[in-house]
Amino acid sequence: MPRRFAACLLVLAATACGPKADTVIQGGMVWTGLSSGEAQPGAVAIQGGKILAAGDSVTIAKYVGSRTQVIDARGGLVMPGFADGHNHFVDGGFQLGWLDLRDAATPQEFVRRIAQYAGKLQPGQWILGGDWDHTLWPGQRLPRREWIDSVTPTTPVFIGRLDGHEALANTAALVAAGVTKTTPTPAGGEIQHDSRTGEPTGILKDEAMGLVAQVVPAPSAEQTDSALARALAYAATLGLTATAHMSASWAQLASYRRLETAGRMTLRAYLYLPLDEWHAVAETIRVSGRGSDRVRIAGLKEFMDGSAGSRTAFFFDAFDDSAGYHGLLRNSEQNMRTWIGDADSAGLQVAVHAIGDRANANLLAIYDSVAKAHGGRDRRFRIEHAQHLRSEDIPTFGARRIVPSMQPAHLIDDGRWVQQRIGPERIKTTYAFRTLLDSDAPLAFGSDWSVASLDPLIGVEAAVTRRTSDNKNPAGWVPEQKITLGEALRAYTAGNAWAVFAEQQWGTLAPGRDADVIVLDRNLFTMAPESLATARVVVTIVGGRIVYRKS
Ligand SMILES: [Zn+2]
């Protein structure tokens, strides 16, 4: 008779002889994510990489055996791992190693940092990254290439604005790309010219950024692998156990697969490749499948419009601060209708960026016409950002089960200036979390990293408080659109699982789900809402294995 079973016979409680867990997390508050209600005192048992049970401490204690690893949550919160529904994960990994101008508060500081960084490079090596924000600067003037040419004569510079919709190229970069005063403006973009000389100022918007982007040397496979590895290590410290990588490239997919083969994928990655490559994606899936539960081709991604920050989001009414201008579409409605129709026929999920109210309304109409033409199917169309919506369009998300894939942390910044752009009426349905949830929309949250921070707790705090970074909205910017903590956490967990067709696999602590579990140092439900982002992840578990433990 095995010793363990013999021991059971000595115990009166029959329950002591049941299955034993590999890991039990106890001593904390548990939020299972099955509802948006509060956390309860309890414990979680994990076995074979899956959730065995979550419940009160006495019930879970029966799963502790002699070989069970017991983790003490020390009064913190035990919950499903965070999933990030929209980011550019590998790009974020590159950014971790690039020049960061996000907090350069003056043009002088902007130039000083570029000069300092250029001094560390070999001639000809590019300066990339940036994330500068001219709205922080006195006068809010856009930067010009002349500002930095003298400190970067042989160093091509191509650095994006924080929102990713405009970039500054220095003269060396414009020369490398062959951009001159006579270069035609690409559709869906803008080359800014000096009003006096007609020469390019170095500012390129949306599709025009491609003129320079296409001559930036592509990173090597090794460089891509190390960027991904950097991103994975960082994500684990933030409690991320799944991610949806938008606009992923084939080279990035290959990098994910290499790291997976090497056993280094410490989260579940869902990749969305470019929509106009739907045929190649469909063919890849036909030949070799979608991938595994760690690296998976989830669908396709494309853009309708640009951003409000660079006035390239597409609106019904003109911008309030740019008379007669409505923004732009990056792809024609006809192309979008064709590509989405083709992708849907191939059974692929479609995710499209739409920010302005008209871009959103047009996209909803395209989705509707494709669904009607192809008949009923569980297709879960996604709208990435869904930032500015007309009231009458909001119920469509719930009625048609279209995912609003939103990034609450963007409002911390946008809330400072977006009313100048679009006026007091339209902001009432900007980041309309409350109205969307009330109309039963399948809300999913993400970060848009590397455009914003990858930290999901910053997004959670933003959704709950709607405070802006200028501290001018202490009670919340458009406060009627606030949601509860439990609702925000659901959008960062189960909401994202549903958005990638993985709700039967992860996203809650229900028995049988993958054991993607995190422990936070505090119970979020008893914290002041405005300090939620100060909580820290202390343990991250993916598939039952600890991938991060705070020392
Ligand atoms: Zn994005």
Side-chain angles (χ1 to χ4, degrees), residues 508-547:
T508 68
L509 301 184
R513 297 284 186 270
D514 286 338
D516 298 354
V517 188
I518 58 173
V519 183
L520 297 161
D521 64 352
R522 276 164 281 174
N523 176 9
L524 299 176
F525 288 89
T526 53
M527 290 176 72
E530 60 275 12
S531 64
L532 284 168
T534 63
R536 286 289 162 266
V537 171
V538 289
V539 178
T540 303
I541 296 172
V542 176
R545 192 167 78 82
I546 295 177
V547 298

Short mmCIF file of all heavy atoms in Angstrom, two decimals, residues 508-547:
data_model
loop_
_atom_site.label_atom_id
_atom_site.label_comp_id
_atom_site.label_asym_id
_atom_site.label_seq_id
_atom_site.Cartn_x
_atom_site.Cartn_y
_atom_site.Cartn_z
N THR A 508 -10.13 33.28 -16.34
CA THR A 508 -10.76 33.23 -15.01
C THR A 508 -10.06 32.13 -14.20
O THR A 508 -9.28 31.35 -14.76
CB THR A 508 -12.26 32.88 -15.08
OG1 THR A 508 -12.40 31.51 -15.53
CG2 THR A 508 -13.03 33.81 -16.01
N LEU A 509 -10.38 32.08 -12.91
CA LEU A 509 -9.81 31.01 -12.08
C LEU A 509 -10.80 29.86 -11.92
O LEU A 509 -10.86 29.22 -10.88
CB LEU A 509 -9.39 31.57 -10.71
CG LEU A 509 -8.35 32.70 -10.75
CD1 LEU A 509 -7.94 33.11 -9.34
CD2 LEU A 509 -7.11 32.29 -11.55
N ALA A 510 -11.58 29.59 -12.95
CA ALA A 510 -12.52 28.46 -12.91
C ALA A 510 -11.73 27.15 -13.01
O ALA A 510 -10.72 27.10 -13.72
CB ALA A 510 -13.51 28.57 -14.07
N PRO A 511 -12.19 26.09 -12.31
CA PRO A 511 -11.50 24.80 -12.40
C PRO A 511 -11.37 24.34 -13.85
O PRO A 511 -12.30 24.48 -14.64
CB PRO A 511 -12.42 23.85 -11.62
CG PRO A 511 -13.16 24.74 -10.69
CD PRO A 511 -13.33 26.05 -11.40
N GLY A 512 -10.19 23.83 -14.21
CA GLY A 512 -9.95 23.34 -15.56
C GLY A 512 -9.31 24.36 -16.49
O GLY A 512 -8.75 23.99 -17.52
N ARG A 513 -9.38 25.64 -16.12
CA ARG A 513 -8.73 26.66 -16.95
C ARG A 513 -7.21 26.59 -16.74
O ARG A 513 -6.73 26.13 -15.71
CB ARG A 513 -9.21 28.07 -16.57
CG ARG A 513 -10.68 28.29 -16.80
CD ARG A 513 -10.99 28.49 -18.28
NE ARG A 513 -12.38 28.86 -18.48
CZ ARG A 513 -13.38 28.01 -18.66
NH1 ARG A 513 -13.15 26.69 -18.64
NH2 ARG A 513 -14.62 28.43 -18.84
N ASP A 514 -6.47 27.10 -17.73
CA ASP A 514 -5.02 27.19 -17.57
C ASP A 514 -4.68 27.97 -16.30
O ASP A 514 -5.32 28.98 -16.02
CB ASP A 514 -4.40 27.91 -18.77
CG ASP A 514 -4.37 27.04 -20.01
OD1 ASP A 514 -4.42 25.80 -19.87
OD2 ASP A 514 -4.32 27.59 -21.12
N ALA A 515 -3.67 27.49 -15.61
CA ALA A 515 -3.28 28.17 -14.37
C ALA A 515 -2.39 29.36 -14.68
O ALA A 515 -1.18 29.35 -14.49
CB ALA A 515 -2.58 27.19 -13.44
N ASP A 516 -3.01 30.41 -15.20
CA ASP A 516 -2.35 31.69 -15.44
C ASP A 516 -2.82 32.60 -14.31
O ASP A 516 -3.92 33.15 -14.35
CB ASP A 516 -2.76 32.28 -16.79
CG ASP A 516 -2.35 31.38 -17.97
OD1 ASP A 516 -1.67 30.37 -17.73
OD2 ASP A 516 -2.72 31.70 -19.12
N VAL A 517 -1.99 32.71 -13.29
CA VAL A 517 -2.42 33.33 -12.03
C VAL A 517 -1.36 34.33 -11.58
O VAL A 517 -0.16 34.09 -11.77
CB VAL A 517 -2.56 32.25 -10.93
CG1 VAL A 517 -3.19 32.85 -9.67
CG2 VAL A 517 -3.37 31.06 -11.41
N ILE A 518 -1.81 35.44 -11.04
CA ILE A 518 -0.84 36.38 -10.48
C ILE A 518 -1.20 36.70 -9.03
O ILE A 518 -2.35 36.53 -8.59
CB ILE A 518 -0.76 37.69 -11.30
CG1 ILE A 518 -2.12 38.40 -11.38
CG2 ILE A 518 -0.21 37.40 -12.69
CD1 ILE A 518 -2.05 39.78 -12.04
N VAL A 519 -0.19 37.16 -8.30
CA VAL A 519 -0.39 37.63 -6.94
C VAL A 519 0.09 39.08 -6.89
O VAL A 519 1.20 39.39 -7.33
CB VAL A 519 0.41 36.79 -5.92
CG1 VAL A 519 0.12 37.27 -4.50
CG2 VAL A 519 0.08 35.30 -6.06
N LEU A 520 -0.78 39.95 -6.38
CA LEU A 520 -0.41 41.36 -6.20
C LEU A 520 -0.10 41.60 -4.72
O LEU A 520 -0.62 40.89 -3.86
CB LEU A 520 -1.56 42.27 -6.64
CG LEU A 520 -1.92 42.18 -8.12
CD1 LEU A 520 -3.32 42.73 -8.38
CD2 LEU A 520 -0.91 42.94 -8.94
N ASP A 521 0.72 42.61 -4.45
CA ASP A 521 1.12 42.84 -3.05
C ASP A 521 0.00 43.42 -2.20
O ASP A 521 0.10 43.43 -0.98
CB ASP A 521 2.38 43.72 -2.99
CG ASP A 521 2.16 45.12 -3.55
OD1 ASP A 521 1.08 45.39 -4.14
OD2 ASP A 521 3.08 45.96 -3.42
N ARG A 522 -1.07 43.91 -2.83
CA ARG A 522 -2.18 44.47 -2.07
C ARG A 522 -3.51 44.05 -2.69
O ARG A 522 -3.55 43.68 -3.86
CB ARG A 522 -2.11 46.01 -2.07
CG ARG A 522 -1.18 46.54 -0.99
CD ARG A 522 -0.81 47.99 -1.25
NE ARG A 522 0.23 48.08 -2.26
CZ ARG A 522 0.66 49.23 -2.77
NH1 ARG A 522 0.12 50.37 -2.39
NH2 ARG A 522 1.61 49.24 -3.67
N ASN A 523 -4.57 44.16 -1.90
CA ASN A 523 -5.90 43.89 -2.42
C ASN A 523 -6.42 45.16 -3.10
O ASN A 523 -6.74 46.14 -2.45
CB ASN A 523 -6.83 43.48 -1.28
CG ASN A 523 -8.27 43.28 -1.77
OD1 ASN A 523 -8.55 43.28 -2.98
ND2 ASN A 523 -9.18 43.11 -0.82
N LEU A 524 -6.48 45.14 -4.42
CA LEU A 524 -6.90 46.32 -5.18
C LEU A 524 -8.25 46.85 -4.71
O LEU A 524 -8.51 48.04 -4.74
CB LEU A 524 -6.99 45.98 -6.67
CG LEU A 524 -5.71 45.51 -7.38
CD1 LEU A 524 -6.03 45.12 -8.83
CD2 LEU A 524 -4.62 46.58 -7.36
N PHE A 525 -9.13 45.92 -4.26
CA PHE A 525 -10.50 46.31 -3.93
C PHE A 525 -10.60 47.16 -2.66
O PHE A 525 -11.64 47.75 -2.40
CB PHE A 525 -11.39 45.07 -3.82
CG PHE A 525 -11.66 44.44 -5.16
CD1 PHE A 525 -10.80 43.46 -5.66
CD2 PHE A 525 -12.75 44.82 -5.93
CE1 PHE A 525 -11.03 42.89 -6.90
CE2 PHE A 525 -12.98 44.26 -7.17
CZ PHE A 525 -12.12 43.28 -7.67
N THR A 526 -9.54 47.22 -1.87
CA THR A 526 -9.59 48.08 -0.68
C THR A 526 -8.65 49.28 -0.82
O THR A 526 -8.47 50.03 0.13
CB THR A 526 -9.23 47.28 0.59
OG1 THR A 526 -7.96 46.63 0.37
CG2 THR A 526 -10.27 46.23 0.90
N MET A 527 -8.07 49.46 -2.00
CA MET A 527 -7.18 50.61 -2.20
C MET A 527 -7.97 51.84 -2.67
O MET A 527 -9.03 51.71 -3.27
CB MET A 527 -6.13 50.28 -3.29
CG MET A 527 -5.12 49.26 -2.86
SD MET A 527 -3.98 48.85 -4.21
CE MET A 527 -2.98 50.35 -4.32
N ALA A 528 -7.41 53.02 -2.42
CA ALA A 528 -7.99 54.24 -2.98
C ALA A 528 -7.84 54.14 -4.50
O ALA A 528 -6.76 53.81 -4.99
CB ALA A 528 -7.24 55.46 -2.46
N PRO A 529 -8.92 54.43 -5.25
CA PRO A 529 -8.85 54.26 -6.71
C PRO A 529 -7.68 55.00 -7.35
O PRO A 529 -7.06 54.49 -8.29
CB PRO A 529 -10.19 54.84 -7.20
CG PRO A 529 -11.09 54.76 -6.02
CD PRO A 529 -10.24 54.89 -4.80
N GLU A 530 -7.34 56.19 -6.84
CA GLU A 530 -6.29 56.99 -7.48
C GLU A 530 -4.89 56.46 -7.18
O GLU A 530 -3.90 57.00 -7.67
CB GLU A 530 -6.41 58.47 -7.10
CG GLU A 530 -6.32 58.79 -5.65
CD GLU A 530 -7.65 58.64 -4.91
OE1 GLU A 530 -8.61 58.07 -5.47
OE2 GLU A 530 -7.71 59.08 -3.75
N SER A 531 -4.81 55.38 -6.36
CA SER A 531 -3.47 54.82 -6.12
C SER A 531 -3.35 53.38 -6.62
O SER A 531 -2.38 52.69 -6.33
CB SER A 531 -3.13 54.90 -4.62
OG SER A 531 -4.04 54.09 -3.91
N LEU A 532 -4.34 52.93 -7.40
CA LEU A 532 -4.34 51.53 -7.86
C LEU A 532 -3.04 51.16 -8.58
O LEU A 532 -2.52 50.05 -8.41
CB LEU A 532 -5.52 51.28 -8.81
CG LEU A 532 -6.89 51.14 -8.14
CD1 LEU A 532 -8.00 51.20 -9.19
CD2 LEU A 532 -6.97 49.85 -7.34
N ALA A 533 -2.51 52.10 -9.35
CA ALA A 533 -1.33 51.77 -10.15
C ALA A 533 -0.06 51.63 -9.31
O ALA A 533 0.99 51.24 -9.84
CB ALA A 533 -1.11 52.83 -11.24
N THR A 534 -0.16 51.89 -8.00
CA THR A 534 1.02 51.71 -7.15
C THR A 534 1.13 50.28 -6.63
O THR A 534 2.14 49.91 -6.03
CB THR A 534 1.02 52.67 -5.95
OG1 THR A 534 -0.12 52.37 -5.13
CG2 THR A 534 0.97 54.13 -6.40
N ALA A 535 0.10 49.46 -6.83
CA ALA A 535 0.19 48.05 -6.43
C ALA A 535 1.24 47.37 -7.31
O ALA A 535 1.50 47.81 -8.43
CB ALA A 535 -1.16 47.37 -6.59
N ARG A 536 1.87 46.33 -6.78
CA ARG A 536 2.91 45.64 -7.54
C ARG A 536 2.61 44.15 -7.65
O ARG A 536 2.08 43.55 -6.71
CB ARG A 536 4.27 45.81 -6.84
CG ARG A 536 4.87 47.19 -7.00
CD ARG A 536 5.36 47.45 -8.42
NE ARG A 536 5.56 48.86 -8.70
CZ ARG A 536 4.66 49.67 -9.26
NH1 ARG A 536 3.47 49.21 -9.62
NH2 ARG A 536 4.91 50.94 -9.47
N VAL A 537 2.97 43.60 -8.78
CA VAL A 537 2.85 42.15 -8.96
C VAL A 537 4.03 41.50 -8.25
O VAL A 537 5.17 41.93 -8.41
CB VAL A 537 2.86 41.82 -10.47
CG1 VAL A 537 2.96 40.32 -10.70
CG2 VAL A 537 1.61 42.39 -11.14
N VAL A 538 3.75 40.46 -7.44
CA VAL A 538 4.85 39.78 -6.74
C VAL A 538 5.09 38.38 -7.29
O VAL A 538 6.20 37.86 -7.17
CB VAL A 538 4.64 39.75 -5.21
CG1 VAL A 538 4.81 41.15 -4.63
CG2 VAL A 538 3.27 39.20 -4.83
N VAL A 539 4.06 37.76 -7.87
CA VAL A 539 4.26 36.44 -8.49
C VAL A 539 3.45 36.38 -9.79
O VAL A 539 2.31 36.82 -9.83
CB VAL A 539 3.77 35.29 -7.56
CG1 VAL A 539 3.95 33.94 -8.25
CG2 VAL A 539 4.50 35.29 -6.23
N THR A 540 4.07 35.85 -10.84
CA THR A 540 3.36 35.61 -12.10
C THR A 540 3.53 34.14 -12.46
O THR A 540 4.66 33.63 -12.52
CB THR A 540 3.93 36.49 -13.23
OG1 THR A 540 3.85 37.86 -12.84
CG2 THR A 540 3.15 36.29 -14.53
N ILE A 541 2.39 33.47 -12.67
CA ILE A 541 2.39 32.04 -12.99
C ILE A 541 1.71 31.85 -14.34
O ILE A 541 0.61 32.35 -14.56
CB ILE A 541 1.64 31.24 -11.90
CG1 ILE A 541 2.38 31.37 -10.57
CG2 ILE A 541 1.47 29.77 -12.30
CD1 ILE A 541 1.62 30.79 -9.38
N VAL A 542 2.36 31.14 -15.25
CA VAL A 542 1.75 30.84 -16.55
C VAL A 542 1.74 29.33 -16.74
O VAL A 542 2.78 28.67 -16.62
CB VAL A 542 2.52 31.52 -17.71
CG1 VAL A 542 1.92 31.12 -19.06
CG2 VAL A 542 2.50 33.03 -17.56
N GLY A 543 0.55 28.77 -16.97
CA GLY A 543 0.43 27.32 -17.14
C GLY A 543 0.99 26.56 -15.94
O GLY A 543 1.59 25.50 -16.09
N GLY A 544 0.79 27.12 -14.75
CA GLY A 544 1.22 26.45 -13.52
C GLY A 544 2.68 26.67 -13.15
O GLY A 544 3.13 26.24 -12.09
N ARG A 545 3.43 27.34 -14.01
CA ARG A 545 4.86 27.52 -13.76
C ARG A 545 5.13 28.98 -13.38
O ARG A 545 4.63 29.90 -14.03
CB ARG A 545 5.65 27.16 -15.01
CG ARG A 545 7.14 27.04 -14.82
CD ARG A 545 7.79 26.37 -16.03
NE ARG A 545 7.95 27.28 -17.17
CZ ARG A 545 8.94 28.16 -17.30
NH1 ARG A 545 9.88 28.25 -16.38
NH2 ARG A 545 9.02 28.93 -18.36
N ILE A 546 5.92 29.18 -12.33
CA ILE A 546 6.27 30.55 -11.93
C ILE A 546 7.24 31.14 -12.95
O ILE A 546 8.32 30.59 -13.18
CB ILE A 546 6.91 30.57 -10.53
CG1 ILE A 546 5.90 30.11 -9.47
CG2 ILE A 546 7.41 31.98 -10.17
CD1 ILE A 546 6.45 30.03 -8.05
N VAL A 547 6.84 32.26 -13.57
CA VAL A 547 7.73 32.90 -14.55
C VAL A 547 8.32 34.20 -14.00
O VAL A 547 9.21 34.79 -14.61
CB VAL A 547 7.03 33.17 -15.90
CG1 VAL A 547 6.58 31.86 -16.54
CG2 VAL A 547 5.85 34.12 -15.75
#
